[in-house]
Amino acid sequence: MPLLGISKEAAVGSAVLGLAVAAGYLAGRRYHLAFDSATHKGKSSPLQQYVLDHSLREHPSLKKLRLLTSDVPQKGMLVCSDQAQLMANLARLIKAKKVLEIGVEHKIDLRIKPATQTLDELIASGEAGTFDFAFIDADKESYNDYYEKCLRLIRKGGIIAIDNVLWHGRVLNPRKDDLESQSIHHLNEKVFRDPRVNISMIPMGDGVTFAFKL
């Protein structure tokens, strides 16, 4: 399964975690946000743009990759760059070497199959408690399942990043027929009360929660 030795270049390369998905499988999808990942322009606030102009550092290889990706129809799947940078910084901080991720073809073992199946296989093969960092951004209705399995796979002191936790504001009043919003809302409430982790929910991009395993 994906083993990522985060070198200096890879750590700076926030795409390593910006493209990460629990169990190495992208089943979910991203939508266009108020922040335009492709252009780095904050559409809603000059102050937001100021923050980006004075905090975002982008490796030339990442910039080239981002610009290339901005021309493809699926460009909305890009993680906003400030969120990716934050995740890369957290990975550096905990000296992450083993990450559930996708996106660097020569450094990973890509498994194209349902994420729950891959996670179960990892647990069954004795990988529990050996991963440093996981990024959950697959199908939203399975978020709770991914969270529980990632908690088993992440070591103490490791980090789980859960993306899209604001879901374009639909978590405020999820419709009964909106199972994705319902699932994310229920997980947000669960993680808030979960004594197994310390958390921070950040209104960055479409919202990201960082759960630090105790």
Side-chain angles (χ1 to χ4, degrees), residues 118-128 148-150 152-153:
T118 301
L119 293 169
D120 284 336
E121 290 173 355
L122 288 171
I123 293 169
S125 64
E127 299 278 356
E148 287 296 333
K149 294 181 190 302
C150 283
R152 295 183 63 183
L153 288 164

Side-chain angles (χ1 to χ4, degrees), residues 144-164:
N144 181 72
D145 204 18
Y146 298 149
Y147 173 70
E148 287 296 333
K149 294 181 190 302
C150 283
L151 263 183
R152 295 183 63 183
L153 288 164
I154 292 294
R155 64 169 172 84
K156 289 184 178 180
I159 301 171
I160 301 173
I162 310 168
D163 203 24
N164 301 119

Side-chain angles (χ1 to χ4, degrees), residues 170-203:
R170 293 199 290 269
V171 292
L172 291 175
N173 188 26
R175 300 193 316 268
K176 291 183 179 180
D177 61 343
D178 185 352
L179 298 182
E180 291 182 329
S181 299
Q182 293 267 2
S183 297
I184 295 172
H185 173 63
H186 291 323
L187 181 61
N188 288 342
E189 291 193 326
K190 173 179 178 174
V191 174
F192 175 64
R193 295 176 174 82
D194 193 342
R196 298 171 295 177
V197 295
N198 286 330
I199 66 166
S200 288
M201 179 185 286
I202 301 175

Side-chain angles (χ1 to χ4, degrees), residues 50-182:
Y50 179 90
V51 171
L52 295 177
D53 291 342
H54 292 81
S55 66
L56 187 62
R57 299 175 178 178
E58 190 171 34
H59 191 279
S61 296
L62 284 179
K63 182 176 182 179
K64 182 179 179 180
L65 177 62
R66 174 176 57 78
L67 292 175
L68 287 171
T69 307
S70 68
D71 291 330
V72 303
Q74 296 84 10
K75 64 182 180 181
M77 294 175 66
L78 281 168
V79 171
C80 65
S81 299
D82 52 345
Q83 176 183 329
Q85 179 173 284
L86 175 58
M87 291 192 292
N89 285 334
L90 288 172
R92 285 194 201 95
L93 181 66
I94 65 172
K95 296 180 172 59
K97 295 183 179 298
K98 193 172 181 182
V99 180
L100 292 168
E101 59 92 32
I102 186 172
V104 186
E105 63 182 33
H106 65 288
K107 293 187 177 183
I108 67 169
D109 171 13
L110 178 62
R111 302 189 182 192
I112 305 297
K113 61 178 68 175
T116 51
Q117 181 181 341
T118 301
L119 293 169
D120 284 336
E121 290 173 355
L122 288 171
I123 293 169
S125 64
E127 299 278 356
T130 67
F131 284 84
D132 302 303
F133 194 107
F135 181 40
I136 299 177
D137 183 30
D139 59 298
K140 310 310 176 190
E141 292 179 37
S142 299
Y143 257 32
N144 181 72
D145 204 18
Y146 298 149
Y147 173 70
E148 287 296 333
K149 294 181 190 302
C150 283
L151 263 183
R152 295 183 63 183
L153 288 164
I154 292 294
R155 64 169 172 84
K156 289 184 178 180
I159 301 171
I160 301 173
I162 310 168
D163 203 24
N164 301 119
V165 295
L166 299 181
W167 207 228
H168 301 278
R170 293 199 290 269
V171 292
L172 291 175
N173 188 26
R175 300 193 316 268
K176 291 183 179 180
D177 61 343
D178 185 352
L179 298 182
E180 291 182 329
S181 299
Q182 293 267 2

Side-chain angles (χ1 to χ4, degrees), residues 34-35 40-53:
F35 176 85
H40 285 172
K41 298 299 182 184
K43 296 180 178 179
S44 60
S45 169
L47 187 58
Q48 180 186 21
Q49 188 58 48
Y50 179 90
V51 171
L52 295 177
D53 291 342

